Amino acid sequence: MDYEALMEMAVQAGEIMLISGAEVYRVEDTIGRILEKSGLENRDVFVLTTGIVATLSDPCVPAITVVRRVSKRSTNLNRIARVNDISRRFCGGQITMDEARKQINDAAKENQYRFREKFVGYVMVTCFFAVLFSGGIRECAAAAFAGGFLALAVYGTSMLRLNDFCQNAAGSFVLALTASAFREYIFPGLNMDAVIISGIMPLVPGVTFTSAIRDTLNGDYSSGVARMAEAVVVALAVASGVGAAMMLVRMMGGAV
Amino acid sequence: MRELAVQSAAAFLAVFGFSIILDAPKKYLLYAGLAGGAGWLAYLLVLSADMSLIAAAFASSLAAAVLSHLFARGLKAPVTVFLVAGILPTVPGASIYRCVYYLIQGTTELSTYYLVQTFQIAGAMAMAIFIVDSLFRLVLTRSVWRASGDKGSSAPDCSSIHDQTDDLQQKHLPH
């Protein structure tokens, strides 16, 4: 068996999962299972939220070690599911290594939704969250529009290749401005708080924070702490975007 | 009663939309939405029984996590696909935002209040998910042991257990 090719494939699979936002233990597990196919004695995998280290060694062959740095991360559940499925079929012996490598490369390129569909997703989240925060028809309408502008802002800043902090801050800035405009010109007496809270729902790191505590309970302390820091940074970005918009509105003489 | 139905439907649609943002596979969008709707229904039911926010968050994640695990096993997909979006309605996103917002505004008492609330809700949810994970892992481990017992001492077949649920601490038999 070509151990180097196996190693390359395992790390590639792990990298795609990590970039797509999979949990650290899931990545370790997948790489470990693929490496298990080598039948070598020592297979050590160490994954952090920002990188992968894997080693294959045996008394009879020279050790192979691969280090992979992962810097950019954004959630893509489809890729996680695809890679997971490919590695399961590979481990089950249903596909060969070449087929698995090809499919993993395909999975890395696959994009399911176009911007149009994502836009609808943003509008759905903000509009229906307004219902959950006991908003009326007016709040839902305002939140839906705010969500649309939020999607445009996030898309625009990602085209400019700005970092996540700026993307979140710009998105929530635009969102809070839209909400204030609605209250000023269209629905006086609008419940701004409900609109803004529903509007930031697509950005806000509630899931990250919950996963941080889950990781910690699982014994993955480094990943737990890293996620918690990530949640705080995202929340800071969102809050400063909203705060800046509020300040601007106040300066222009609007009610907040 | 009508309020319950409307809110659960709204939670379903919100989670459906959020799954699109997270690039969930198209064929699983409905299932993720169902997990979210069921979670929110549990949340409302517990709140209407005059229990605390923490108990409600706990019950809600319990419902969402059980459904997600069942979907994951039935559809042979990783549980994350359903769970991440499914817990969205209860997740303390608003609290963590308010905590930082008041911190920037300089209103320390409110900031602390929401920080504590964030930890309470996230902690309750994480506990619920953790419990469900462990229970499903327990069931899975037992079935694997039984299967490998039938085959004698041969190496375990990794395809039968591979990652349909979060079986990270799954210990393998030696070769």
Side-chain angles (χ1 to χ4, degrees):
Chain A
M1 180 182 257
D2 185 351
Y3 297 127
E4 282 182 14
L6 182 78
M7 179 61 124
E8 181 56 37
M9 184 192 112
V11 173
Q12 168 105 36
E15 187 188 3
I16 294 171
M17 292 181 87
L18 198 57
I19 291 175
S20 308
E23 305 94 320
V24 162
Y25 70 77
R26 183 184 297 283
V27 179
E28 280 185 353
D29 188 56
T30 301
I31 299 178
R33 280 174 199 278
I34 295 177
L35 291 182
E36 205 168 277
K37 292 290 276 185
S38 68
L40 294 187
E41 203 172 286
N42 300 315
R43 311 170 297 268
D44 288 297
V45 186
F46 176 51
V47 176
L48 292 169
T49 42
T50 49
I52 300 172
V53 183
T55 290
L56 255 183
S57 67
D58 200 76
C60 51
V61 291
I64 306 170
T65 299
V66 174
V67 178
R68 193 63 60 89
R69 176 79 167 95
V70 173
S71 49
K72 182 92 185 130
R73 296 207 302 151
S74 67
T75 309
N76 187 324
L77 295 177
N78 183 45
R79 287 186 193 155
I80 298 178
R82 282 284 303 276
V83 173
N84 192 64
D85 185 52
I86 296 165
S87 82
R88 182 162 65 216
R89 277 185 290 137
F90 174 70
C91 288
Q94 291 156 22
I95 52 174
T96 64
M97 193 152 79
D98 287 335
E99 283 167 341
R101 272 165 71 181
K102 209 174 144 295
Q103 289 182 15
I104 286 174
N105 283 328
D106 290 345
K109 290 185 206 113
E110 193 178 83
N111 265 325
Q112 266 199 114
Y113 303 104
R114 272 168 295 175
F115 174 66
R116 235 183 310 165
E117 287 151 311
K118 290 258 172 110
F119 183 87
V120 174
Y122 274 96
V123 173
M124 276 174 84
V125 173
T126 53
C127 174
F128 292 113
F129 254 105
V131 180
L132 301 190
F133 289 119
S134 46
I137 301 282
R138 295 185 310 175
E139 278 79 15
C140 288
F145 272 96
F149 281 111
L150 169 70
L152 291 175
V154 169
Y155 185 68
T157 44
S158 71
M159 286 287 107
L160 293 173
R161 293 180 183 279
L162 283 175
N163 58 19
D164 284 354
F165 190 95
C166 295
Q167 272 188 39
N168 289 328
S172 47
F173 181 78
V174 169
L175 176 117
L177 274 191
T178 315
S180 328
F182 260 85
R183 174 164 146 150
E184 203 66 33
Y185 301 114
I186 303 175
F187 301 130
L190 182 75
N191 180 356
M192 277 271 282
D193 195 48
V195 176
I196 289 182
I197 296 285
S198 345
I200 56 171
M201 268 299 153
L203 302 179
V204 127
V207 176
T208 313
F209 199 86
T210 307
S211 320
I213 297 189
R214 265 178 79 196
D215 280 349
T216 311
L217 285 176
N218 265 326
D220 283 336
Y221 299 114
S222 60
S223 149
V225 173
R227 268 183 208 277
M228 214 167 277
E230 187 187 337
V232 170
V233 171
V234 174
L236 195 61
V238 172
S240 46
V242 174
M246 294 295 194
M247 233 162 75
L248 189 69
V249 170
R250 213 173 287 152
M251 269 160 57
M252 284 161 50
V256 179
Chain B
M1 208 45 223
R2 191 168 156 269
E3 184 67 11
L4 272 185
V6 171
Q7 291 239 337
S8 302
F12 171 85
L13 290 166
V15 171
F16 189 93
F18 194 60
S19 306
I20 298 178
I21 300 178
L22 295 180
D23 269 290
K26 275 186 185 148
K27 51 186 171 180
Y28 300 145
L29 290 178
L30 276 177
Y31 296 98
L34 278 179
W40 190 251
L41 186 63
Y43 181 85
L44 292 177
L45 287 177
V46 172
L47 275 190
S48 67
D50 268 343
M51 279 153 74
S52 70
L53 204 64
I54 303 171
F58 184 84
S60 149
S61 336
L62 213 57
V66 168
L67 264 186
S68 302
H69 270 280
L70 291 177
F71 289 150
R73 304 193 83 185
L75 303 164
K76 295 203 191 317
V79 70
T80 341
V81 173
F82 312 101
L83 193 61
V84 171
I87 57 171
L88 179 77
T90 358
V91 123
S95 312
I96 191 171
Y97 156 75
R98 285 199 170 109
C99 164
V100 179
Y101 184 75
Y102 288 119
L103 192 72
I104 297 176
Q105 302 266 312
T107 323
T108 328
E109 302 87 56
L110 276 174
S111 172
T112 318
Y113 172 78
Y114 282 114
L115 180 68
V116 172
Q117 194 184 57
T118 305
F119 268 100
Q120 285 171 328
I121 296 178
M125 295 183 67
M127 279 301 283
I129 297 169
F130 186 71
I131 290 170
V132 176
D133 277 357
S134 309
L135 283 179
F136 271 83
R137 197 176 299 146
L138 199 68
V139 175
L140 205 70
T141 316
R142 281 186 47 196
S143 61
V144 171
W145 268 100
R146 215 174 294 134
S148 60
D150 291 345
K151 273 185 282 173
S153 61
S154 66
D157 173 15
C158 72
S159 69
S160 65
I161 50 165
H162 191 127
D163 207 18
Q164 282 163 28
T165 63
D166 293 1
D167 47 347
L168 75 153
Q169 276 153 3
Q170 183 69 54
K171 288 280 180 285
H172 281 264
L173 300 169
H175 282 282

